[in-house]
Amino acid sequence: MDNWTVCPPNATVCEGDSCIVPESDFNAILSVVMSTVLTILLALVMFSMGCNVELHKFLGHLKRPWGIVVGFLCQFGIMPLTGFILSVAFGILPVQAVVVLIQGCCPGGTASNILAYWVDGDMDLSVSMTTCSTLLALGMMPLCLFIYTKMWVDSGTIVIPYDSIGTSLVALVIPVSIGMYVNHRWPQKAKIILKIGSIAGAILIVLIAVVGGILYQSAWIIEPKLWIIGTIYPIAGYGLGFFLARIAGQPWYRCRTVALETGLQNTQLCSTIVQLSFSPEDLNLVFTFPLIYSIFQIVFAAILLGAYVAYKKCHRKNNTELQEKTDNEVEPRSSFQETNKGFQLDEK
C-alpha cells in the first residue's frame, strides 16, 4: 500500500507517482450524435432548397451547360492552381501543402446552395453545379492531386473516399429531387417550405462551425502560415470565380452563384480524406486546416451577403426616391395655356 498514492476519483490505475486517467469519450459520442443530427437537418434544408428549383430550368442548364462549364473550370482549375501557388509561396511543409491541395480539389459544398438563395443567385445553376462537381470529383480529384502533389508526395498514398463522395451525391440529389417535385405540384406550399428552410439553413451553417470548434478545440494550435492560407484561399475562390464568370459573359446573379460555388468547398470531405491518408503524427500538423478554411469561407460569405443586402436596400431606396421625385414633378405650363384656359392639352 506504501507504493500507492492518492489519485483523483476519475483515475482507474494509480501506482507510484503516476495516475492514468481514462480518455473521455465525450467528444466521440458528441461527434456521432451531431453528425447524425446535422446530416438529417442538411437533408431537410436541401429539400427546401429544391422547392426553389424548377425542373425545366435545371434541365436547361444540363442541356446548355455553359454556366456549369465555367463553374467546372473554377472548381477544378482555379482552386487547385491557387492552392499550389499559395503552398509554394509560403513554403509550408510537404504534408501541409498536400492538405491545402486536397481542400482545393474538393467539389462544392451544399452551403453554397443556401447562400445562393440569400444573394438572389441562380438556384437552378447552383444545384446543378453542386451535383455535377460532386459527380465529376470521382475522376477530377485523383487527376488534380496527381498533377499538383507529385513534387511533394506520391499521390497514390492519398486515399480518395469514393463512398463518402457517393453518399454526398445521394444526400444532395434525393432531397432536392423531392423538393423539385413539391415545387411542381404545390408551388404555393413550396414557397412556405423554402422560407422556413432558408432560415434553417443559415442557422445550420453557423451550427456546423460552432460544433467543429467544440469537437476539435484542442487542435487549434497550428502553424501561422496555415492560418494565413486558410484566410486567403476562400477569398481568392470567391473573387476569381466571380471575375471568370463575368469575363465569360454571365449575368450578375449567375456571377454571384459561380463565386459561391467556387469559394465554398466541401470541407467535410477534405477532413475525411485527411484522416484516411495520414498518420497520427502528420494529423497533428494538418488536421485543423479544413476547419480553418470552413470558418473563414463562412465568415467571408457572411460579409459578402451583408454587403449585398446593404446594396440592395440602398438601391431600392434610391429607386423609390427617384420615382417619388418623378411623380411629384409638375409639367410646366405654356403661356398659351395660361392665356387660353379653356383649351387643355389632350393627354392621350
Side-chain angles (χ1 to χ4, degrees):
M1 294 294 294
D2 294 339
N3 292 331
W4 292 80
T5 58
V6 178
C7 294
N10 58 347
T12 56
V13 180
C14 195
E15 184 175 0
D17 296 329
S18 65
C19 293
I20 302 176
V21 181
E23 293 184 2
S24 173
D25 58 352
F26 171 77
N27 274 9
I29 297 174
L30 180 62
S31 178
V32 173
V33 172
M34 293 306 299
S35 177
T36 303
V37 172
L38 292 177
T39 300
I40 296 173
L41 290 176
L42 186 59
L44 293 175
V45 169
M46 292 313 299
F47 160 68
S48 67
M49 292 295 103
C51 290
N52 196 39
V53 177
E54 297 181 22
L55 180 59
H56 69 280
K57 292 183 178 180
F58 179 80
L59 294 176
H61 283 297
L62 297 180
K63 293 177 181 177
R64 296 180 296 276
W66 183 233
I68 295 177
V69 169
V70 174
F72 171 82
L73 293 175
C74 291
Q75 287 187 311
F76 297 113
I78 287 179
M79 292 303 285
L81 178 59
T82 302
F84 178 80
I85 293 173
L86 288 173
S87 300
V88 173
F90 283 91
I92 56 180
L93 297 174
V95 64
Q96 295 171 335
V98 171
V99 173
V100 171
L101 285 164
I102 291 174
Q103 180 64 74
C105 295
C106 285
T110 51
S112 59
N113 307 127
I114 301 169
L115 286 162
Y117 168 79
W118 283 104
V119 299
D120 299 327
D122 189 335
M123 285 299 298
D124 307 285
L125 175 61
S126 178
V127 172
S128 60
M129 282 182 62
T130 303
T131 304
C132 290
S133 68
T134 303
L135 180 61
L136 292 171
L138 295 170
M140 291 306 300
M141 284 192 70
L143 177 61
C144 291
L145 291 173
F146 173 77
I147 294 172
Y148 288 106
T149 63
K150 59 184 179 181
M151 70 174 290
W152 289 296
V153 68
D154 181 9
S155 59
T157 61
I158 301 174
V159 180
I160 306 296
Y162 295 101
D163 54 344
S164 296
I165 297 175
T167 302
S168 299
L169 187 61
V170 172
L172 171 66
V173 171
I174 292 179
V176 170
S177 300
I178 298 174
M180 291 168 63
Y181 177 76
V182 171
N183 186 30
H184 176 71
R185 290 294 303 272
W186 306 283
Q188 295 301 321
K189 293 182 179 180
K191 292 179 181 179
I192 299 174
I193 295 173
L194 177 62
K195 290 181 180 179
I196 297 173
S198 62
I199 297 173
I203 297 173
L204 181 61
I205 291 174
V206 177
L207 183 61
I208 291 174
V210 172
V211 170
I214 294 175
L215 289 177
Y216 306 105
Q217 55 185 328
S218 61
W220 290 111
I221 301 176
I222 197 171
E223 190 173 350
K225 290 180 181 180
L226 287 183
W227 279 96
I228 298 173
I229 293 175
T231 306
I232 297 174
Y233 209 174
I235 296 177
Y238 292 135
L240 294 173
F242 184 90
F243 285 115
L244 181 60
R246 193 58 188 165
I247 291 172
Q250 297 296 299
W252 292 107
Y253 72 106
R254 287 185 179 172
C255 291
R256 295 193 295 270
T257 304
V258 173
L260 290 172
E261 288 291 333
T262 304
L264 284 163
Q265 301 289 83
N266 192 334
T267 53
Q268 292 86 357
L269 179 60
C270 180
S271 296
T272 301
I273 296 174
V274 169
Q275 292 181 68
L276 293 174
S277 303
F278 297 103
S279 64
E281 293 77 14
D282 290 336
L283 284 177
N284 291 330
L285 299 173
V286 298
F287 182 69
T288 312
F289 180 76
L291 303 176
I292 294 173
Y293 186 97
S294 176
I295 289 174
F296 282 108
Q297 74 175 2
I298 293 173
V299 168
F300 291 120
I303 294 173
L304 294 174
L305 174 60
Y308 174 74
V309 171
Y311 165 78
K312 191 165 66 170
K313 287 184 178 180
C314 181
H315 185 67
R316 186 184 298 117
K317 180 180 178 182
N318 290 339
N319 285 345
T320 302
E321 291 176 351
L322 180 61
Q323 185 63 39
E324 290 177 353
K325 183 178 179 181
T326 303
D327 293 341
N328 293 332
E329 284 181 353
V330 179
E331 184 178 352
R333 300 173 66 88
S334 66
S335 58
F336 178 82
Q337 286 178 275
E338 292 293 337
T339 306
N340 303 280
K341 296 183 183 293
F343 296 94
Q344 300 293 335
L345 294 176
D346 186 359
E347 297 295 334
K348 295 181 181 181

